[in-house]
Amino acid sequence: MNITPKENIRKELEDIQNFLEITLSEDVNEAVLRGNDLAVYMARSGKLLADAKSHRDDMIKSEVMSKIKELMSLPASTTNKFLDALTKDENHLVNWADRINASCSRQLEWCRTIISKGKAEMQALQMYQG
């Protein structure tokens, strides 16, 4: 499977972020449709997260190899801060993809709640009418 280029990851994350920022009503049909989209976005954001981590790992590897002597003389905590600074953009993509993936999961749970509520209301109405 191919690794998504960093700029494409950023664009896809922006698109998914925009979708996640749309307020969901309590309409059951809307919740079903949104849930279907969220399931796809959840899977895609997981892939984007893995790809972003791959880009970060590649950047760390290249930076470590070019500065190995310098890094060897630093304490581990300083080395980690140095690497975090060098991989700022890659870390941002990793963190963003992780948060989007988690948001998809929480919104999917909200959709399930709306659907369950609608189902319970429909059953109660049928009992009342029956």
Side-chain angles (χ1 to χ4, degrees):
M1 190 171 282
N2 293 335
I3 304 296
T4 309
K6 282 194 286 187
E7 280 311 307
N8 293 20
I9 292 172
R10 185 172 282 107
K11 175 64 177 123
E12 284 191 64
L13 291 177
E14 286 173 2
D15 292 344
I16 297 170
Q17 182 75 43
N18 289 334
F19 175 82
L20 291 172
E21 291 177 359
I22 296 170
T23 303
L24 175 65
S25 74
E26 293 192 20
D27 178 79
V28 173
N29 293 323
E30 182 184 341
V32 169
L33 294 173
R34 186 172 182 89
N36 290 335
D37 289 340
L38 284 166
V40 172
Y41 284 143
M42 197 164 149
R44 184 62 187 155
S45 64
K47 168 73 166 80
L48 295 174
L49 175 58
D51 291 352
K53 285 182 178 184
S54 178
H55 287 295
R56 182 182 62 191
D57 292 346
D58 288 345
M59 178 65 122
I60 289 172
K61 184 172 70 175
S62 95
E63 291 300 327
V64 166
M65 297 314 270
S66 69
K67 300 183 187 295
I68 194 84
K69 286 183 183 177
E70 187 179 337
L71 292 173
M72 294 295 279
S73 66
L74 299 173
S77 62
T78 304
T79 300
N80 288 337
K81 288 179 182 177
F82 179 72
L83 291 174
D84 284 345
L86 289 174
T87 58
K88 180 181 169 232
D89 291 339
E90 291 79 8
N91 284 330
H92 174 76
L93 289 178
V94 167
N95 293 331
W96 190 12
D98 182 58
R99 298 299 11 148
I100 281 181
N101 190 267
S103 293
C104 286
S105 180
R106 286 191 296 276
Q107 284 196 18
L108 195 52
E109 285 301 316
W110 176 249
C111 289
R112 286 185 189 125
T113 300
I114 297 297
I115 293 165
S116 293
K117 178 183 173 225
K119 182 178 176 182
E121 288 172 351
M122 191 169 38
Q123 288 172 342
L125 184 61
Q126 287 174 347
M127 283 181 43
Y128 178 76
Q129 291 176 343

